[in-house]
Amino acid sequence: MHILISLIRFLTMWIPFRSPRKKLRTFLMDYVSDYDKEARRSEKAWRRHEVAERTVLVFEPNDCHGEVISGFCALLLSMGYRVDVLMHHSLGSQFPLCRTENEGIRAFTIMKTLWPRLYREEVLNRYEAIIFTSSLFYTKPGMPSALDVTGLRNRRNLLIVEHELNDIERLKEEMFEQEGRLLTLGTFHKGIMVNPHSFGQISITIRNPKPEFITVGALSAERKNHSLLLEALTDLYNAGFKDFSVTIVGEGETGEIPEHLRPFLNITGKLDFPSMFAAMERADYFLPLLDPANPAHERYISTGVTGSAQLIYGFAKIPLIHEKFASFYRFDAQNALLYDKEGLSNAMCRAIKQTSAEYAAMQQNLLNLGRQMDEQSRANLKRALDGCLTSHGPTSKS
């Protein structure tokens, strides 16, 4: 990398003005560091392909939020649209559409050097609507607005998914909220709720004789409290419960795990979507691990949602969740195992003792909840799309 930087500096030193020299250096660094042959080929194919009538473009510029893409595709297909998906190649290599097989969907991958030039692409004018599934770029310094980086802010047929309400003001998205073009994954005082939780062809499985718990997501205190899980495992072990297992999916460190608890744990690290979906199908119960004592977790019922909810709805895995967070996600005693002061270990104990018939009844209630949310999401997305002007608006940077 040091040699690359030196070479780029040498090749651009002839440019007399600092600003254009800096821009060219940044572009070359991004191009070389992010170069992907298949993405380059896919980018060209996207530019040249024929866009069918009533096609919506679903755009995800980051290497995250892949869990919502197939759900948006499913909602749009059910409304009679065709869908093109445009995503960064790092996300494409994780295969978020691995269970989605439909001739109405075409997927393309790109390099990040296309982002600042996206507004120039004539192919955009052939889409009935564009949905940004992220409102900002996580990989750029300061995490700027995706609308500004791509130059597409002024397009009237554009919807954005906002994952954090506190970013609305920072990213200047007030107009989108006022015009009904700002989508949220949960029901808040701002935005239109659209919760995409279809993952394609998956199996809704019955309870295993030896129950399996799963948690999915980055191993970070800001997102989950994994110490709650270790405390619960210790309680279960001391109470003599040993016929169960827990799968932990996600990148990060779990910290020191006592030797006697390790046989119960399967720590996979971060998985691609095919492997993660397979792990979800094998599991019976989901552990969101939200902590009511952690102020950082307040956002999951006030300004954002946990991605765990999408997996719970889509795979119909019974959640074990603290009462403080349950009602926001429409979980109750009929479709989830709730706990409060008695702690997570009590809920896990109830899960271990649950009969197959009890599990099946609770799972059916969870499936019914997912269908209700599907219907509401479809109606809300239709309303948002109908509110978009059919004209494609300006294509120049604002």
Side-chain angles (χ1 to χ4, degrees):
M1 182 59 71
H2 178 72
I3 296 175
L4 176 62
I5 293 174
S6 299
L7 180 59
I8 289 176
R9 285 183 176 276
F10 175 76
L11 292 174
T12 56
M13 64 185 297
W14 57 270
I15 301 176
F17 300 106
R18 181 178 181 183
S19 180
R21 184 171 64 243
K22 184 177 180 181
K23 287 182 179 179
L24 180 57
R25 285 176 176 174
T26 300
F27 173 82
L28 291 174
M29 281 297 301
D30 285 345
Y31 186 88
V32 174
S33 63
D34 193 48
Y35 184 78
D36 184 90
K37 184 177 180 180
E38 290 302 317
R40 183 67 174 151
R41 183 180 294 120
S42 183
E43 179 182 317
K44 291 180 179 179
W46 172 67
R47 282 197 184 100
R48 298 168 182 170
H49 86 291
E50 183 177 348
V51 178
E53 292 186 2
R54 284 183 59 79
T55 298
V56 174
L57 177 66
V58 174
F59 175 56
E60 176 51 62
N62 300 295
D63 63 355
C64 57
H65 297 154
E67 72 278 0
V68 307
I69 292 178
S70 59
F72 270 110
C73 290
L75 289 171
L76 291 165
L77 289 171
S78 71
M79 295 161 59
Y81 290 99
R82 299 175 71 89
V83 187
D84 281 356
V85 177
L86 189 65
M87 56 186 155
H88 188 255
H89 65 83
S90 60
L91 179 58
S93 65
Q94 299 174 47
F95 307 107
L97 294 171
C98 61
R99 298 292 187 92
T100 303
E101 294 184 8
N102 190 296
E103 62 180 13
I105 301 174
R106 297 187 67 174
F108 303 90
T109 58
I110 61 173
M111 293 159 40
K112 62 184 179 182
T113 46
L114 177 63
W115 298 338
R117 299 180 288 115
L118 196 61
Y119 72 99
R120 301 176 182 172
E121 300 299 335
E122 190 276 333
V123 65
L124 292 176
N125 297 325
R126 301 197 289 270
Y127 290 108
E128 185 155 327
I130 302 170
I131 300 176
F132 275 46
T133 52
S134 291
S135 64
L136 50 76
F137 285 93
Y138 293 102
T139 57
K140 284 186 171 290
M143 293 191 293
S145 168
L147 303 173
D148 293 333
V149 173
T150 59
L152 299 179
R153 178 178 290 275
N154 287 346
R155 297 191 75 96
R156 304 298 303 178
N157 64 335
L158 179 66
L159 303 179
I160 58 172
V161 179
E162 182 50 74
H163 297 264
E164 172 52 64
L165 292 191
N166 289 331
D167 282 336
I168 292 177
E169 182 177 358
R170 182 179 76 84
L171 301 177
K172 298 180 174 58
E173 298 167 350
E174 293 91 344
M175 181 181 69
F176 286 84
E177 197 272 326
Q178 293 165 7
E179 296 178 353
R181 295 191 289 135
L182 187 140
L183 310 179
T184 59
L185 302 185
T187 302
F188 300 103
H189 64 286
K190 293 182 178 181
I192 297 175
M193 189 284 291
V194 176
N195 189 283
H197 53 264
S198 171
F199 299 99
Q201 299 298 317
I202 63 169
S203 299
I204 303 299
T205 53
I206 62 175
R207 185 183 186 276
N208 291 303
K210 177 182 177 181
E212 181 172 335
F213 301 87
I214 191 170
T215 184
V216 179
L219 307 183
S220 163
E222 292 184 357
R223 299 177 181 274
K224 302 178 187 298
N225 186 347
H226 289 85
S227 65
L228 291 176
L229 175 58
L230 295 181
E231 291 170 5
L233 292 179
T234 299
D235 291 343
L236 291 172
Y237 181 87
N238 292 337
F241 292 97
K242 296 182 173 62
D243 199 21
F244 68 93
S245 63
V246 179
T247 297
I248 300 176
V249 179
E251 59 184 343
E253 298 296 329
T254 58
E256 186 175 351
I257 298 174
E259 189 68 33
H260 65 284
L261 298 181
R262 291 180 183 177
F264 302 103
L265 295 172
N266 173 29
I267 303 173
T268 67
K270 184 177 181 179
L271 299 176
D272 59 16
F273 283 94
S275 300
M276 189 266 282
F277 289 168
M280 282 295 303
E281 287 178 324
R282 290 193 297 268
D284 304 301
Y285 302 95
F286 198 100
L287 305 173
L289 299 179
L290 297 177
D291 184 1
N294 187 340
H297 291 190
E298 289 288 332
R299 74 169 295 269
Y300 293 119
I301 53 174
S302 59
T303 61
V305 302
T306 171
S308 298
Q310 263 71 31
L311 295 173
I312 292 168
Y313 299 140
F315 287 86
K317 301 304 177 182
I318 309 302
L320 281 63
I321 188 168
H322 193 280
E323 289 180 357
K324 176 178 180 176
F325 303 95
S327 62
F328 178 81
Y329 296 97
R330 306 186 193 181
F331 297 141
D332 55 35
Q334 280 66 54
N335 58 32
L337 293 170
L338 311 182
Y339 63 91
D340 190 6
K341 295 179 181 178
E342 65 273 19
L344 176 59
S345 60
N346 180 276
M348 293 183 72
C349 177
R350 282 182 280 145
I352 293 170
K353 292 180 177 180
Q354 198 172 42
T355 66
S356 296
E358 291 170 339
Y359 181 89
M362 188 170 283
Q363 186 181 54
Q364 186 58 54
N365 292 334
L366 194 57
L367 285 167
N368 292 339
L369 171 61
R371 294 190 186 102
Q372 293 169 13
M373 296 191 69
D374 260 341
E375 292 175 5
Q376 184 179 355
S377 296
R378 188 177 299 106
N380 288 350
L381 182 56
K382 182 179 186 303
R383 177 159 55 92
L385 287 168
D386 289 345
C388 286
L389 299 181
T390 54
S391 62
H392 290 158
T395 57
S396 60
K397 279 199 171 186
S398 58

